[in-house]
Amino acid sequence: MRILAARLNHETNTFSPVPTPLASFEPKYDGDARTFGTGSNTAFGAFVDYATKRDADLITPLAATANPSGPCPDDVFEALIAPLLRAVAGGVDVILLDLHGAMVSQGHEDCEGELLARIRALAPDVPLGVALDLHGNISAKIVENCDCIVGFKTYPHIDMYATGAHVTRIIEAMLSDGLRPHMALSHPPMLPHTLKMNTEVDCAMTDLIAQARAAEGKNGVLAATVFGGFGLSDIAVAGLSIVTVATATDKATSLANELARSAWDRREDFVYVEQPLAQSLQEARSAADQPGTGPVLLLDHGDNCMSGGSCDNMDVLAAALAEGMDGIIAGPICDPELVATLTQAGPGATVDVTLGNKAIAKGFIAPQPPLPLRGKVTGCSDGRYVVTGPIYTGQTCDMGRAVVLQTPQATILITERPHEPWDLGVFTSAGIDPLKARYLILKSRMYCRPVFSPLSRAMIECASGGITSSDYSLFSFERLTRPIYPLDSITGWPA
C-alpha cells in the first residue's frame, strides 16, 4: 500500500505586514520531511506512525510550516504544493494531510480548498483524510474535496498528534470495513475573538467542545469539530464553523446544526472586550505590590507573533515607561534595522535610538512614531536556542540576531525576526533572566502561558494597537461575509 502523508501549515493574517516568502516555511522534502515528522507531536507525526504500523510504502513529499504572517505570494503557494501534486499523480492508495485551514495566498483566499480540489481531480477515489487547526476558516470547498476532517480540540494546541490519529482511525475503517463517511458543515454568522477560545479555562468554547466530544462514537458519529476560526483574515468564510463526520448524511447534518445552534446561543460569550491600557497598567502596579514571587506578566496580545503580529508595536512598553514603571524586561521586539545598528555599536556602547513602530500595515491604523530611547548595549547573540518545553520541546528556534538594550527603566530584547516567547530560552540565550523582572512584557496571547504563567505572581492582558488586536473596529473588512456577529446586529438566525 502506498500512503502519502504531507504537512503544509500557515495561519494567514491578511492585514499583517509581515512577509511570507518561501524560506519562512522552511520546507522539507521526501526523506527530510519524513525525519521531521517521525516522533513529532503533530498530525503528520501520527500519519507517519500509521503508515509504519501498516508496513506501507510511505511517501512524504512535503513538510512545511510558517509562523502566522501576511498572505504568501502565489508562486510560493505553487512551489509548495507542486511536489505534493506530483506525488499524487504518481499513484497512491491513501492521502493524509496535516493542514491548517486558514492559509491565504495573494490569489487564493482558500488555499486548503484549492489544494484539495486539485488533489481530488488527480485522485477522485483515493481515501483522503485531513487534520486541521482549531482556528481554521472552513469552506465548503474544503469539505467537499476530502473524505474526513478532524480538527484540534485544544488551545493552546496540545492534541495535534491525537487529531492525526483520529483521522487515521476513520481512514482505516474505510480501508478495512468499507466505511463511507459523510460530512456536514454549519457556519453560523459569528466572528469569535481568539482570546475567548482558551480551552484551559471554563468558557463557552470548552462547553461546545465537550458537547462535540460527547457526541463522538454515538449514533454513527465518527468525529465532531468546533472550529473557532481565525477572525483576522478578511475572507468570505472567516469565523466559527462546525464540521461533523458520520456514517450517514442525516446524522452528520443533525449534529452540525445542533452544535451550531449551541454556539449561536452563546455568541455573547465569544466576544472579548478590551479594557483600557491605562487600567491594565494600574492593575499591574497593584499586583507588583502584593505578596508573591516572580514578575507581573503583561501580555501585549494586540501584537502577538502567533497571530501575524509584527512584534514592533510600542504601545504597551511606551505607556509603561511613561507611567514611571521600572524593573521592566520586554521582548522580543522585532526591529532588524536597529539590531544591525546596535550590533555594529557593540556591547558597552551607549546609544540614542528609536525602537519599533516601523511596520506599516495596509488598511490598518498607522502606528505611533518610533519610541526614542537612550541606553547601553549589554549583549549580542545569534538568537538561537533549544526549547525546553512544554510546547515544541527539543526544537531549535532562531530569532535572528538578538541584541540587549539596557535603559534606566527597562531591559529590552530586540531581534531580527518576529518570535513567540514560548520558552525561557528566548531570554536566557541572550543573557537575560526574565524571572528577575518586576514587570515582564511579552508580545503573546496564549503560547507563553504554559511556561511563564506558573512562574509569575500575576498575569494581565494588555491592549495595544497592533495588528492582532481584539478590537475589530480597527480592521477594514472588505471580503468578509456580512452580516456577522459581533460586527453586525443579527436577528432570526437560523431562518
Side-chain angles (χ1 to χ4, degrees):
M1 175 172 288
R2 289 167 58 82
I3 295 179
L4 183 152
R7 173 179 170 89
L8 176 57
N9 270 235
H10 186 240
E11 182 177 80
T12 306
N13 181 332
T14 61
F15 299 93
S16 175
V18 180
T20 312
L22 181 63
S24 67
F25 287 89
E26 300 183 351
K28 300 170 181 61
Y29 307 102
D30 303 321
D32 289 339
R34 180 170 183 169
T35 298
F36 168 83
T38 301
S40 68
N41 181 26
T42 62
F44 183 51
F47 298 160
V48 171
D49 285 350
Y50 171 70
T52 302
K53 292 175 183 176
R54 242 191 175 273
D55 196 24
D57 180 9
L58 176 60
I59 303 160
T60 53
L62 177 70
T65 305
N67 280 341
S69 52
C72 69
D74 286 339
D75 60 352
V76 170
F77 175 59
E78 297 295 341
L80 287 167
I81 67 173
L84 203 166
L85 295 175
R86 284 196 298 270
V88 172
V92 295
D93 301 302
V94 173
I95 301 170
L96 301 170
L97 299 180
D98 178 349
L99 307 177
H100 185 282
M103 182 176 179
V104 180
S105 73
Q106 291 171 347
H108 300 288
E109 68 172 44
D110 179 14
C111 285
E112 287 85 358
E114 179 66 19
L115 171 61
L116 290 169
R118 295 194 200 182
I119 290 174
R120 267 297 182 234
L122 294 169
D125 300 318
V126 174
L128 199 172
V130 181
L132 294 175
D133 193 288
L134 177 145
H135 296 115
N137 292 320
I138 313 303
S139 68
K141 192 174 183 179
I142 293 175
V143 175
E144 291 165 358
N145 285 286
C146 62
D147 290 298
C148 68
I149 290 171
V150 184
F152 304 161
K153 290 182 170 68
T154 62
Y155 177 54
H157 309 314
I158 58 174
D159 63 334
M160 296 88 77
Y161 184 97
T163 300
H166 194 157
V167 171
T168 65
R169 290 195 296 272
I170 297 174
I171 294 296
E172 178 62 27
M174 293 180 67
L175 298 174
S176 301
D177 304 328
L179 171 70
R180 287 294 174 262
H182 298 260
M183 285 197 290
L185 167 66
S186 185
H187 186 59
M190 295 170 55
L191 196 68
H193 285 102
T194 306
L195 279 167
K196 288 296 187 176
M197 301 182 201
N198 183 358
T199 60
E200 294 189 340
V201 299
D202 292 333
C203 61
M205 190 65 173
T206 53
D207 290 346
L208 274 175
I209 290 173
Q211 185 178 347
R213 286 187 186 276
E216 291 178 335
K218 301 175 183 177
N219 193 33
V221 174
L222 304 170
T225 305
V226 180
F227 290 98
F230 185 59
L232 306 183
S233 191
D234 188 17
I235 64 172
V237 300
L240 188 141
S241 58
I242 309 294
V243 176
T244 54
V245 189
T247 55
T249 300
D250 60 339
K251 295 176 181 179
T253 301
S254 175
L255 178 60
N257 291 339
E258 177 186 335
L259 290 169
R261 181 76 241 189
S262 294
W264 181 252
D265 289 344
R266 299 284 300 273
R267 59 191 178 279
E268 293 181 1
D269 295 333
F270 285 94
V271 178
Y272 180 86
V273 180
E274 296 183 337
Q275 71 176 8
L277 178 56
Q279 182 178 337
S280 298
L281 296 182
Q282 183 178 4
E283 290 182 7
R285 283 180 173 276
S286 297
D289 292 334
Q290 299 301 312
T293 60
V296 176
L297 189 59
L298 302 180
L299 299 190
D300 179 5
H301 58 85
D303 192 20
N304 167 38
C305 171
M306 292 305 287
S307 293
S310 60
C311 292
D312 88 324
N313 183 281
M314 293 293 98
D315 289 356
V316 176
L317 177 58
L321 294 176
E323 285 288 323
M325 298 165 69
D326 57 14
I328 298 169
I329 294 177
I333 294 169
C334 179
D335 192 331
E337 295 176 1
L338 186 54
V339 168
T341 298
L342 298 183
T343 299
Q344 184 174 10
T350 298
V351 293
D352 291 288
V353 299
T354 57
L355 173 65
N357 287 345
K358 297 167 186 174
I360 307 300
K362 183 179 179 181
F364 199 76
I365 59 169
Q368 296 296 316
L371 178 64
L373 295 169
R374 180 176 180 81
K376 178 183 289 188
V377 179
T378 58
C380 302
S381 76
D382 63 5
R384 294 175 63 84
Y385 67 96
V386 177
V387 178
T388 56
I391 297 175
Y392 300 121
T393 304
Q395 178 175 311
T396 299
C397 292
D398 187 350
M399 303 181 288
R401 291 183 299 173
V403 179
V404 181
L405 180 67
Q406 181 72 55
T407 77
Q409 294 172 258
T411 300
I412 307 169
L413 175 64
I414 309 166
T415 61
E416 287 186 304
R417 301 175 184 172
H419 193 78
E420 176 74 20
W422 48 40
D423 192 80
L424 294 173
V426 167
F427 294 99
T428 58
S429 64
I432 301 172
D433 182 355
L435 302 184
K436 290 184 177 180
R438 182 173 176 83
Y439 305 101
L440 179 59
I441 301 176
L442 301 180
K443 292 186 168 295
S444 183
R445 174 178 282 154
M446 198 64 64
Y447 287 100
C448 69
R449 300 187 191 215
V451 170
F452 290 94
S453 291
L455 302 174
S456 302
R457 68 175 61 201
M459 181 185 71
I460 298 171
E461 296 167 347
C462 296
S464 71
I467 202 67
T468 70
S469 171
S470 293
D471 182 357
Y472 284 146
S473 70
L474 301 178
F475 299 85
S476 55
F477 291 102
E478 297 177 352
R479 297 182 179 181
L480 180 66
T481 300
R482 307 291 287 269
I484 192 167
Y485 181 84
L487 276 61
D488 307 297
S489 178
I490 301 175
T491 58
W493 191 93

